[in-house]
């Protein structure tokens, strides 16, 4: 990157950032730390301002204290350089505002002009809505009516998930936002798209002669995507009990990762080209035809009492703000097909759940055996695997077969791993850093376009609708276990199994790794 290009990028990031929901959990855990990392790395120059917005009263000083505490607790960089912190903090101001009151927005507009002048900002506006979805429409209207879209620079709105509850509600929300913002001004967040290893999927696929020619149904037996969490519903019961795992993780993160694995090569690795290919995958998803079809191909579960590392854990129905008779799923696993030329016949198994034994996100590509007369008929051969480790460990490993040393016919599985987080460690940016930076530069590649969102809802709505008909298929699994056995049976019927996450439980494998294992 040339210095000139660098400075052009920084100039385009000059903006007032409006953080709606500035007293909320997301701001504290993710957004303040992300802004601090960007500043520390020089990706925000001095010409920006952040206005924290929420109803509760705060002085600028109190708000800066909140930001400081959040960075101390959650940032990958420490805030112990007083000079750096003071310079950063100067850019932060707070205004108490109720989203339903347009007067507050007029005052915000006046404050914005002062911030433009103070920080030399050319009228650019980035509105970040870390708010409950029912406020997305009202805030958009009041931004317009309060005059905030009349400044001479660009205007962009970053919208948190969930984008709706189903297709009709998402459509309604989109229609409201479209009355104020054009599609190219709307940045719908799916923070998984900001993760390094999700973005790395394109490089692994398209920059490696090892994989690119094999990436199809002739060579791939199945694909497995696991997003497992050890946490329960925590203090988000009010939201989660209405949402469940399918809407919270399936409609967005899981389908987005699936599209990155399955999409055709885009004509260029950027913006609309990538999004065009992703939406084609979503359009090719085989829709479940009947409720019976859903019940056969999708397993749902809810965690019951259990234990993890010797600690007793309550069941979901005992959690605060959860209906004690709730039938909300905290787990689901599905067999999905992408009905196109490349993927015909290849099952994509996806699963996610709370209160599972390990926090991890992994994609496993299981290759077909060679079929050669020499080894193809052997049932003890381990299939070749390519495993992409997304979160929290980042890296890839491949599992291959080699000769067992000293034996005539023995075959030894060997796993070769590149652990990116072990090697690069602190330097890996958080997803929210990358996404805020992209939005400020006007790069929407890793945000979801409306056609993607609507296709994903259409797919998920069929499942939700079958589930609504009756709940007798809800399986209870002990907290701390790997979820309902029915999900294992689904793969077993096809002659497969879920590969253990990190493959570490298989002790016949020789590991070559930079993790020191
Ligand atoms: N927390 C997380 O980890 C994640 C959150 N999200 C999404 O991000 C969004 C925010 O989540 P989160 O931070 O957890 O939510 P919180 O409930 O913690 O925060 C909500 C924020 O909205 C403000 N608010 C509520 N009503 C109004 C109003 N009428 N006018 C002005 N401000 C208002 C609240 O401040 P006050 O009460 O002071 O007005 C508070 O700052 C949601 O859409 C959520 O789904 C997405 C992924 C992860
Ligand atoms: O969007 C969400 O994601 C988190 C998991 O994100 P991760 O980056 O920690 O893997 C999940 O806990 C939450 O329920 C969901 O809303």
């Amino acid at each position: 990157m040339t210095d000139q290009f660098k400075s052009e990028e920084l100039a385009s990031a000059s903006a007032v950032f409006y953080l709606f929901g500035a007293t909320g959990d997301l701001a504290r855990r993710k957004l303040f730390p992300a802004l601090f990392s960007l500043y520390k790395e020089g990706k925000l120059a001095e010409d920006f301002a952040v206005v924290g917005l929420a109803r509760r009263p705060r002085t600028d000083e109190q708000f800066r204290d909140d930001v400081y505490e959040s960075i101390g607790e959650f940032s990958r960089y420490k805030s112990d350089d007083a000079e750096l912190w003071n310079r950063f903090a100067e850019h932060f101001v707070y205004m108490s505002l109720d989203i339903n009151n347009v007067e507050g927005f007029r005052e915000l507009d006046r404050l914005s002009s002062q911030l433009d002048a103070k920080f030399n900002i050319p009228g650019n506006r980035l509105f970040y809505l870390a708010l409950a979805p029912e406020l997305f429409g009202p805030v958009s209207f009041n931004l317009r009516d309060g005059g905030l879209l009349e400044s001479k620079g660009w205007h962009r709105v970053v919208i948190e998930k969930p984008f709706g509850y189903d297709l009709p509600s998402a459509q309604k929300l989109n229609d409201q936002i479209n009355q104020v913002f054009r599609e190219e001004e709307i940045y719908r967040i799916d923070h998984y798209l900001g993760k390094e290893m999700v973005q790395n999927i394109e490089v692994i696929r398209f920059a490696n002669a090892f994989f690119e020619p094999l990436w199809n149904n002739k060579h791939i037996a199945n694909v497995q995507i696991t997003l497992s969490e050890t946490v329960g519903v925590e203090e988000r019961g009010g939201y989660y009990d209405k949402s469940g795992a399918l809407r919270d993780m399936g409609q967005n993160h899981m389908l987005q990762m699936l599209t990155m694995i399955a999409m055709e090569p885009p004509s260029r690795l950027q913006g609309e080209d990538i999004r065009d290919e992703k939406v084609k995958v979503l359009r090719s998803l085989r829709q479940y035809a009947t409720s019976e079809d859903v019940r056969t191909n999708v397993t749902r579960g809810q965690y019951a009492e259990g234990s993890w590392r010797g600690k007793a854990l309550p069941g979901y129905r005992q959690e605060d703000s959860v209906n004690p008779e709730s039938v909300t799923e905290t787990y689901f696993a599905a067999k999905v097909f992408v009905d196109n030329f490349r993927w015909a016949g290849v099952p994509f198994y996806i699963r996610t759940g709370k209160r599972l034994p390990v926090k991890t996100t992994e994609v496993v590509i299981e290759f077909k055996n060679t079929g050669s007369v020499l080894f193809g008929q052997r049932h003890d051969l381990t299939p070749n695997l390519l495993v992409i480790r997304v979160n929290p460990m980042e890296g890839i490993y491949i599992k291959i077969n080699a000769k067992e040393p000293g034996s005539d016919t023995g075959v030894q599985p060997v796993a070769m791993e590149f652990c990116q987080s072990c090697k690069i460690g602190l330097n890996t940016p958080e997803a929210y850093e990358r996404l805020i930076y992209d939005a400020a530069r006007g790069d929407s590649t890793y945000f979801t376009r409306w056609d993607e969102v609507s296709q994903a809802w259409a797919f998920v709505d069929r499942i939700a609708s079958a589930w609504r008909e009756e709940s007798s298929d809800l399986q209870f699994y002990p907290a701390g276990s790997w979820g309902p056995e029915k999900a294992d049976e689904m793969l077993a019927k096809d002659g497969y199994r879920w590969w253990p996450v990190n493959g570490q439980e298989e002790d016949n494998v020789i590991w070559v790794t930079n993790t020191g294992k």
Side-chain angles (χ1 to χ4, degrees):
M1 192 191 287
T2 64
D3 284 341
Q4 186 202 350
F5 181 55
K6 254 190 202 161
S7 66
E8 274 167 14
E9 280 198 328
L10 287 177
S12 69
S14 167
V16 181
F17 294 74
Y18 301 83
L19 189 43
F20 290 92
T23 54
D25 178 70
L26 185 70
R28 193 171 66 90
R29 287 193 307 110
K30 299 287 183 191
L31 305 180
F32 299 145
L35 286 165
F36 184 64
S37 300
L38 291 174
Y39 187 71
K40 184 164 166 102
E41 291 184 352
K43 290 177 178 157
L44 285 174
E46 298 301 329
D47 50 355
F48 76 99
V50 178
V51 189
L53 296 149
R55 285 168 305 184
R56 68 197 79 165
R58 285 271 190 287
T59 62
D60 289 350
E61 274 320 306
Q62 285 169 329
F63 180 51
R64 289 170 190 168
D65 289 346
D66 293 344
V67 176
Y68 187 77
E69 269 173 36
S70 123
I71 289 165
E73 197 174 349
F74 297 107
S75 172
R76 66 193 177 94
Y77 288 122
K78 296 215 176 320
S79 50
D80 51 6
D81 175 344
E83 199 261 317
L84 178 82
W85 163 254
N86 287 332
R87 264 197 293 124
F88 176 67
E90 256 189 34
H91 295 263
F92 281 70
V93 294
Y94 182 84
M95 191 184 136
S96 169
L97 165 143
D98 186 331
I99 274 152
N100 300 305
N101 174 12
V102 69
E103 265 318 309
F105 286 77
R106 296 202 176 99
E107 192 187 329
L108 181 60
D109 188 40
R110 291 190 284 277
L111 173 65
S112 307
S113 305
Q114 292 165 17
L115 293 169
D116 280 351
K118 178 169 176 188
F119 292 105
N120 196 21
I121 297 167
N124 296 336
R125 308 282 182 247
L126 185 75
F127 306 107
Y128 196 115
L129 311 188
L131 295 166
E134 56 271 21
L135 295 173
F136 297 162
V139 78
S140 303
F141 296 139
N142 279 341
L143 285 170
R144 179 194 59 200
D145 299 344
L148 278 123
L149 305 182
E150 284 161 27
S151 64
K152 61 181 175 347
W154 50 252
H155 306 106
R156 295 177 193 143
V157 62
V158 180
I159 302 181
E160 262 301 332
K161 68 168 267 278
F163 197 85
Y165 172 81
D166 53 14
L167 183 54
S169 62
Q171 180 71 64
K172 190 170 160 205
L173 191 56
N174 202 50
D175 290 346
Q176 288 180 338
I177 297 166
N178 277 162
Q179 289 179 42
V180 179
F181 293 100
R182 297 189 309 275
E183 176 64 29
E184 58 272 27
E185 294 174 321
I186 303 172
Y187 291 68
R188 296 179 196 81
I189 286 250
D190 182 319
H191 78 275
Y192 264 67
L193 291 177
K195 288 187 190 279
E196 273 295 308
M197 290 307 296
V198 173
Q199 298 187 1
N200 207 344
I201 292 171
E202 292 164 343
V203 182
I204 293 165
R205 284 190 57 187
F206 302 127
N208 287 301
F210 282 148
F211 302 127
E212 197 284 324
L214 306 184
W215 212 262
N216 56 53
N217 59 2
K218 289 192 194 65
H219 300 285
I220 291 179
N222 71 79
V223 176
Q224 302 179 13
I225 303 178
T226 298
L227 271 79
S228 66
E229 295 190 278
T230 51
V231 291
V233 68
E234 312 292 283
E235 58 296 322
R236 294 172 72 212
Y239 150 74
Y240 194 87
D241 205 32
K242 292 192 205 81
S243 160
L246 179 68
R247 293 186 178 86
D248 186 49
M249 302 285 261
Q251 187 271 347
N252 35 73
H253 310 324
M254 303 201 79
L255 288 182
Q256 282 296 324
M257 285 205 293
L258 188 151
T259 62
M260 298 285 280
I261 296 289
M263 72 180 188
E264 294 301 310
S267 41
R268 286 168 310 159
L269 272 182
Q270 53 183 267
E272 300 314 315
D273 300 312
I274 292 181
R275 304 203 298 184
D276 287 346
E277 296 307 332
K278 279 163 59 197
V279 80
K280 284 186 207 160
V281 174
L282 292 165
R283 280 199 213 110
S284 308
L285 291 180
R286 186 186 301 171
Q287 303 286 340
Y288 301 114
T290 60
S291 300
E292 197 42 45
D293 204 11
V294 169
R295 270 183 269 284
T296 308
N297 291 295
V298 189
T299 298
R300 59 171 155 164
Q302 186 189 86
Y303 63 83
E305 280 175 43
S307 66
W308 187 69
R309 296 189 177 165
K311 188 175 159 230
L313 294 170
Y316 177 72
R317 290 177 175 183
Q318 282 97 52
E319 303 274 15
D320 289 343
S321 38
V322 165
N323 174 353
E325 290 173 10
S326 172
V327 291
T328 298
E329 79 290 354
T330 57
Y331 173 101
F332 85 93
K335 177 158 89 168
V336 176
F337 285 97
V338 178
D339 280 337
N340 64 15
F341 191 80
R342 182 185 289 269
W343 294 111
V346 179
F348 285 70
Y349 301 108
I350 61 178
R351 63 174 169 172
T352 184
K354 294 206 185 274
R355 288 277 188 241
L356 301 185
V358 180
K359 164 76 181 166
T360 196
T361 301
E362 281 194 13
V363 180
V364 178
I365 313 291
E366 178 176 331
F367 290 89
K368 292 182 176 171
N369 275 342
T370 55
S372 98
V373 287
L374 301 177
F375 291 105
Q377 311 308 320
R378 280 183 57 164
H379 295 299
D380 60 338
L381 270 195
T382 309
N384 289 165
L385 302 182
L386 164 66
V387 181
I388 302 172
R389 308 191 63 196
V390 172
N391 186 31
M393 293 272 276
E394 297 171 346
I396 53 172
Y397 67 87
I398 53 171
K399 221 193 239 180
I400 59 171
N401 290 307
K403 180 175 176 295
E404 189 182 330
S407 127
D408 286 340
T409 56
V411 175
Q412 168 71 59
V414 178
M416 293 198 277
E417 179 176 42
F418 168 60
C419 173
Q420 173 157 305
S421 42
C422 307
K423 187 158 176 62
I424 301 172
L426 267 185
N427 292 329
T428 305
E430 283 265 347
Y432 277 94
E433 284 169 40
R434 170 69 198 237
L435 294 174
I436 292 174
Y437 187 49
D438 284 353
R441 290 181 305 159
D443 182 349
S444 55
T445 308
Y446 293 112
F447 294 82
T448 50
R449 211 168 56 187
W450 168 242
D451 50 359
E452 296 178 70
V453 174
S454 57
Q455 288 292 335
W457 275 124
F459 180 75
V460 157
D461 279 359
R462 293 240 181 161
I463 303 174
S465 143
W467 284 352
R468 261 195 311 276
E469 284 171 18
E470 59 151 317
S471 57
S472 60
D473 61 319
L474 180 71
Q475 317 268 306
F476 292 91
Y477 61 96
S481 73
W482 269 109
E485 281 170 13
K486 198 172 161 224
D488 301 342
E489 289 159 15
M490 181 171 73
L491 274 73
K493 278 188 201 144
D494 296 343
Y496 301 126
R497 61 176 171 128
W498 294 105
W499 289 99
V501 294
N502 195 20
Q504 298 279 295
E505 291 145 50
E506 296 175 295
D507 48 22
N508 64 332
V509 179
I510 295 180
W511 280 82
V512 182
T513 172
N514 64 334
T515 58
K517 286 180 297 211

